[in-house]
Amino acid sequence: MAAATVNIPNSITVFRLVLTALFIAAASFDSPWSYHTALITFVIAAISDWLDGYLARKLNLVTSLGKLLDPLADKILVAAGFIYLSVHPNINCPIWVTCMIIGREFMVTGLRQVAVEQGKVIAADNLGKWKTAFQLIFVIGSLTHISFATLDPTNPLVSLLVWIATPEHIIIPATLWIATALTLISGYNYIYRNSELLQQ
């Protein structure tokens, strides 16, 4: 691999994959410490999603590797979060939503592979970025509810965060359905804008 592609943004992207692995490991346990660890690792990974893109543009370090690796790391992180929440008893995340999100990501990844074979690179568009943002908000909000529900409920901050993130209120469910809609729309948009790749 050329040294130019192993830059700070790409290193942060690889670090996000490591954080995703730590999140999966923590989510495999059922205890307060694992809930807190899962939340912290996921939040840091989500922040790194914004940070690597910002640094790539700021430092003019946008590479073809980054355009391929960054969306892939996002997809793995989001898929891990949704799979975990789909089986958690205290969170209402329908399995069909998770399957649709993962299926869409497989479709886009396959489309990108076709593009690579034809000497092209399909970068994430704005609609796809908004989709990812709402997906991350939903997962972080749900993880916050799971994690903070184990803390002292008399603490005002804990009580506020649990109230905001509770699945019974409108905020978290709204982010889920907005993310679901954007997943469908952005998936269609990728196919429509790159349909010529499938005709060659």
Side-chain angles (χ1 to χ4, degrees):
M1 183 181 300
T5 64
V6 188
N7 52 40
I8 294 176
N10 290 346
S11 298
I12 294 175
T13 301
V14 173
F15 179 60
R16 182 154 71 257
L17 292 171
V18 174
L19 287 172
T20 302
L22 292 176
F23 164 76
I24 294 172
S28 301
F29 296 90
D30 184 18
S31 64
W33 72 264
S34 66
Y35 300 152
H36 304 327
T37 302
L39 173 61
I40 292 171
T41 54
F42 197 95
V43 169
I44 295 175
I47 293 174
S48 76
D49 177 30
W50 168 83
L51 182 60
D52 59 7
Y54 172 79
L55 290 177
R57 294 185 298 270
K58 187 74 173 179
L59 303 177
N60 194 26
L61 294 174
V62 177
T63 63
S64 294
L65 175 64
K67 290 180 180 179
L68 289 172
L69 191 60
D70 179 56
L72 180 61
D74 297 341
K75 289 171 175 51
I76 295 174
L77 175 66
V78 169
F82 270 85
I83 291 172
Y84 172 65
L85 296 177
S86 290
V87 299
H88 198 283
N90 297 332
I91 300 298
N92 182 22
C93 181
I95 293 177
W96 69 264
V97 171
T98 298
C99 292
M100 184 200 66
I101 288 174
I102 295 175
R104 183 266 188 199
E105 304 307 349
F106 272 116
M107 182 272 295
V108 172
T109 301
L111 191 60
R112 284 200 171 100
Q113 182 59 40
V114 172
V116 168
E117 292 176 355
Q118 299 181 18
K120 301 177 182 179
V121 174
I122 302 176
D125 61 8
N126 288 331
L127 196 59
K129 291 177 181 178
W130 277 108
K131 175 267 304 178
T132 300
F134 275 97
Q135 289 174 344
L136 292 175
I137 291 171
F138 169 73
V139 175
I140 290 174
S142 299
L143 291 175
T144 299
H145 174 73
I146 295 170
S147 176
F148 278 69
T150 65
L151 301 178
D152 181 10
T154 62
N155 184 296
L157 178 60
V158 171
S159 178
L160 175 63
L161 289 175
V162 170
W163 179 82
I164 291 175
T166 183
E168 285 74 27
H169 291 160
I170 190 61
I171 297 176
I172 299 304
T175 61
L176 173 62
W177 299 120
I178 292 174
T180 301
L182 290 175
T183 297
L184 288 171
I185 296 171
S186 64
Y188 171 79
N189 190 47
Y190 269 109
I191 294 177
Y192 178 77
R193 290 175 55 188
N194 300 283
S195 57
E196 72 281 357
L197 295 175
L198 304 176
Q199 300 172 4
Q200 298 180 18

